[in-house]
Every structure is written in structure tokens, then in C-alpha cells.
Amino acid sequence: MTPPDRPGLRPKPVAAHPGSGHGAVDRYFRLSARGSTWRREIFAGLSTFLALSYIVVVNPAILSQGGIPHAAAFFATAAVGGLATMIMGLWARLPFAVAPGMEMNAMIAFSVVGTLSYTWPEALGMVFWSGIAMLAVSLLRLREAVINAIPPQMRSALAAAVGTFIGLIGVQIGHLVTTSDGRLSGLGDWTGPPAIALYTGLAVALALDALGARAAAVLGGIAAAALYCAFAGISTEAVHDGVHGSGSALLRFDLTVISDPRAWSIILVLFALDFFGSIAKVVGLSAHTPLMDGDGQVPGMRQALLVDAGATVAGSAAGSSSFVAFVESAVGIRAGARTGIAAIVTGLLLFSCLFLDPLLAHVPVEATTGALVFVAVKMLTAPRSGGVDRLGLAVTATAVGVTIVTLAIDQAMAAAFLVTTAASVLGRRRPHPALWVTTLVLTASVLLHYLHL
């Protein structure tokens, strides 16, 4: 039996909202058709920005460990991320933010440069070539073929894996767990200011959500920020040097690295992380929301995939690692984002970070943790259309378990594909050809990651 509708989880016919209008802009973004309003989209865009704003601080800090100039990495994060997110909203008309992936920047700084001793221009060259490969397969619609081949059980599993990943980011930033070499290594401090901020933000968000407030996650974050600052004080540390020195990595990538056979496996891993990570995030963020139509398709998917591939190429030219559809977009979607207007708002705010560095220095990253865990809880408990079967439960459990162990969406996706393909073979069913190819490529990329990196 089909579960009852819940606000923000399933599409349903809605009357036009008084504030949405019926002009050309409304029709282009399908504002009324998706039951949204300008006010809701603007607020949701702000919500997404608040949830991902930490990336403009964290990404340059990580990449600078690999030698990439801090100011250049900051410029690439804010400028390329902001522009790509606005293009996502204008062209794909989807509420997804685009920003550097946390799994990629750590790989570049600590594995490619730190362990394998490549120079940072060579590392950026590898990012560039992985982005070119992404553009090629996106133009050939190979990514869409993979997405269309994903069975319903895997779509729910990917949504659960993405929700788990978001929650793990929250508890990691909240210092509830510790990590080593990109893996969970133990428990952290459960009584310090970051932990208390997480508890506060989560409790406020859950309470407001129970009352039907769409602003639950953001208001929880504001409460957490106030409490954290009361405990830990307001930071006065400068984040960066603004736009000064922002061009120090511009076009400094070394494209000749493609001639080095040793670099091919790294490019493949970067490609797989971006290729399959973006698929998992777009499908996971869209599942069980009005963004996905009745046929399980996401209108604007092809444009969205081209945007994140183009952002990776542009980001490598400016001084950053690969760009992806950011999982924190789930906060805005939960707040009511249904169109590209929310992404345009997020992109404008992200771009404005270039000029707001004194303000960013005082924003505690820990304030976002409660909102992230709240969104993770809502994604993991969202009703699944069509019920669940044993295969669906097995695939979901596998994807969630691998996400917890590895903190890697692509590896969770590889495990989910392996289980689904194996079940098809054992059940004497013929798997879709795209399932075979995807499973082989994902498995190869994971093996190369562990063997070479």
C-alpha cells in the first residue's frame, strides 16, 4: 500500500500559491507547478548556504596542506562554486549546490601530493583530465544511462547511503567521532562545546519539525551557533586574505601529467569518485521528493551532470579539487526547495563569500552539525514508495554499512551494485548491461584506490 503523503516528501497536485505568480519566470522554473513560492525558495537557498558554508573554510585549509596556495583554493571554492551553483539553478532548474567534494580534496592533498609525491600542479592536471572525461561521458549521456538502469531498490539504498553520509559529516564536525586516513577511528568528545552545539541544533530542529515548521533545520542551527559562541567564544581568526593572491594558481595545472602512465589510475579514481558520487547524490537527494517524477526520472538531470563536470574542469584551472553536487543541498530541499531559484540564491551567497571574509571568520562550523544530523534522520526515515522487499533491505543495509566503514559514497555504491548484480545472477535474471559495466568500473576504481593510494 502506498504510504500517505508527508509534506516535502512526495509530489502531489497543488493549487497555485498566491505569491508565486503565473509569469514567464514562474513557468520556466515550474514554481507553481511544484507547489512552491518565491519566499520558500529564497529561504531554502539560504538554508542550503548556511549548511555548506563551512566548505569555503575547510576546502582551502585541506588543499593548502598539499601546497595549493590558500587564497587560490578559497577563490576557486567561492567563485567557481558560486557560479556553478547559479548555472545549476538557471539551466538545470534544480536546487542542488555545487562545491568541492570533501572526499576529493583530502585525496589530492594527502594521497596524491603527500603520499605519492606529485606536485600540486600535476595533481590539478589530474583533476582537469578527470573533469574532461566527465564532460565526455555526460555529453554522450552515459551517466544518464547508468542512472536509468538503477533499479528502485538501489535508488532507496542510495538515498539511505547519502543520508548516512550527511549524518557522519555532522557527527565528525561535532567531534563525536574521530577519523584517521579518511576512516572512523574512535569516539570523540561527547561533552565539549561542539557536541553540545550538535545536541542543541538537533533537538530544536526535531521539536520545530514536529510542530510543522519548514525552518526547523536553520533555526536549530541558529540556536546551536548562539550556544556554541556562549561556550567557546567568538572566533577572531582571519579565514584568508580575501581576493588578494586569488590568481596564484590560475592555469597552473600541469596537463602533461597525462603522459605519465602512473597517473592514469589516479585519474580513473578521481573520475569514478566524481562520476558515481554525483549519481548517488543526485539520485539520493531527489528520491521521495517532488524533484523526481512518477517514472523515477529527475527532469534536468543531464544539465545537472554537465554542470558539475564543467565545474570540475573550471575548478582545476583556478586551484581546487573536483566539484560535485553537494549533499548539504538536502537541508534546502527539506526546507522546501523545489526549483532552481533556491540554487541561484545559494550560488549568489557562495559567490559573495569572496567579499565577506571578515564575517566568515566568526561563523562556527559546529553550528551546522545539528542541521546535518536532522536532515540525515529525515532522509533515513522517509517513507519508501512501493514498500520494501528482501533485496531492497539487503542492498540498503550494505550501502549504509559500507558508508559507515569507509566514509565513501562511491564505495557504498560499488557494494550496492555488486549485491544487486549478484542477486540478479543468482535469481537467473538477466541484469541490465549498464549494471554489469557500472559494477566492473566501480569495483576496478575501488581496487585501484586501495592498491595505489
Side-chain angles (χ1 to χ4, degrees):
M1 183 172 68
T2 303
D5 288 330
R6 291 188 186 179
L9 294 180
R10 293 178 58 83
K12 57 183 179 180
V14 229
H17 286 260
S20 57
H22 297 279
V25 174
D26 176 87
R27 290 192 299 272
Y28 180 79
F29 287 105
R30 300 185 65 206
L31 196 60
S32 298
R34 288 186 171 173
S36 192
T37 64
W38 278 94
R39 180 179 178 182
R40 185 178 299 167
E41 294 295 317
I42 292 171
F43 178 80
L46 172 63
S47 301
T48 297
F49 170 74
L50 292 175
L52 65 76
S53 58
Y54 72 88
I55 195 64
V56 300
V57 178
V58 175
N59 190 54
I62 292 176
L63 290 177
S64 64
Q65 299 298 309
I68 296 176
H70 192 281
F74 171 80
F75 175 80
T77 304
V80 176
L83 289 172
T85 302
M86 284 187 274
I87 294 171
M88 177 73 78
L90 283 167
W91 188 33
R93 291 177 277 185
L94 290 170
F96 300 145
V98 182
M102 289 293 290
E103 57 269 51
M104 281 84 150
N105 55 24
M107 177 182 166
I108 290 295
F110 303 120
S111 295
V112 178
V113 177
T115 301
L116 300 178
S117 301
Y118 282 97
T119 65
W120 65 263
E122 289 173 329
L124 291 179
M126 296 177 196
V127 174
F128 172 86
W129 288 116
S130 72
I132 291 297
M134 284 276 292
L135 277 175
V137 297
S138 297
L139 288 170
L140 293 173
R141 303 198 173 196
L142 294 180
R143 280 210 283 183
E144 288 175 274
V146 172
I147 290 170
N148 293 335
I150 296 176
Q153 299 95 333
M154 273 197 61
R155 292 177 185 268
S156 291
L158 292 178
V162 170
T164 302
F165 185 68
I166 293 172
L168 289 171
I169 291 175
V171 297
Q172 183 180 354
I173 296 174
H175 298 181
L176 298 188
V177 298
T178 58
T179 59
S180 176
D181 296 325
R183 302 286 183 270
L184 295 177
S185 58
L187 298 178
D189 182 1
W190 288 56
T191 59
I196 294 172
L198 189 154
Y199 306 147
T200 303
L202 178 60
V204 172
L206 287 172
L208 291 174
D209 182 66
L211 296 174
R214 284 188 175 273
V218 173
L219 293 176
I222 293 173
L227 191 64
Y228 181 82
C229 291
F231 271 92
I234 298 176
S235 173
T236 57
E237 181 182 353
V239 177
H240 53 82
D241 298 324
V243 295
H244 178 68
S246 58
S248 53
L250 191 62
L251 300 180
R252 290 279 303 277
F253 46 23
D254 184 353
L255 302 185
T256 64
V257 73
I258 192 67
S259 62
D260 179 3
R262 296 182 306 129
W264 296 347
S265 62
I266 301 173
I267 293 171
L268 175 61
V269 172
L270 286 170
F271 167 80
L273 280 170
D274 201 348
F275 182 95
F276 296 109
S278 293
I279 288 176
K281 290 166 187 173
V282 170
V283 171
L285 291 170
S286 304
H288 318 296
T289 75
L291 299 175
M292 188 170 281
D293 62 26
D295 298 323
Q297 307 298 314
V298 181
M301 173 71 77
R302 180 169 182 261
Q303 293 89 330
L305 298 176
L306 284 168
V307 169
D308 80 47
T312 293
V313 174
S316 67
S320 178
S321 52
S322 305
F323 282 69
V324 297
F326 224 57
V327 290
E328 281 77 1
S329 303
V331 175
I333 293 171
R334 184 68 203 174
R338 296 293 178 264
T339 75
I341 295 172
I344 294 171
V345 172
T346 302
L348 287 169
L349 291 170
L350 193 54
F351 192 83
S352 71
C353 289
L354 292 172
F355 315 103
L356 296 178
D357 52 303
L359 177 62
L360 288 174
H362 306 303
V363 177
V365 176
E366 293 78 4
T368 66
T369 55
L372 294 176
V373 175
F374 166 75
V375 169
V377 170
K378 302 305 290 187
M379 290 184 70
L380 289 169
T381 57
R384 301 323 191 211
S385 58
V388 291
D389 54 19
R390 285 185 297 176
L391 176 58
L393 288 173
V395 175
T396 298
T398 300
V400 169
V402 173
T403 302
I404 294 172
V405 172
T406 66
L407 295 181
I409 290 290
D410 67 306
Q411 294 182 36
M413 193 174 183
F417 266 98
L418 279 170
V419 171
T420 303
T421 304
S424 297
V425 173
L426 293 174
R428 298 183 178 181
R429 296 187 301 272
R430 179 176 295 179
H432 191 287
L435 279 181
W436 278 114
V437 175
T438 302
T439 302
L440 290 173
V441 173
L442 268 169
T443 304
S445 69
V446 171
L447 289 175
L448 283 172
H449 178 78
Y450 282 104
L451 289 175
H452 296 283
L453 301 179

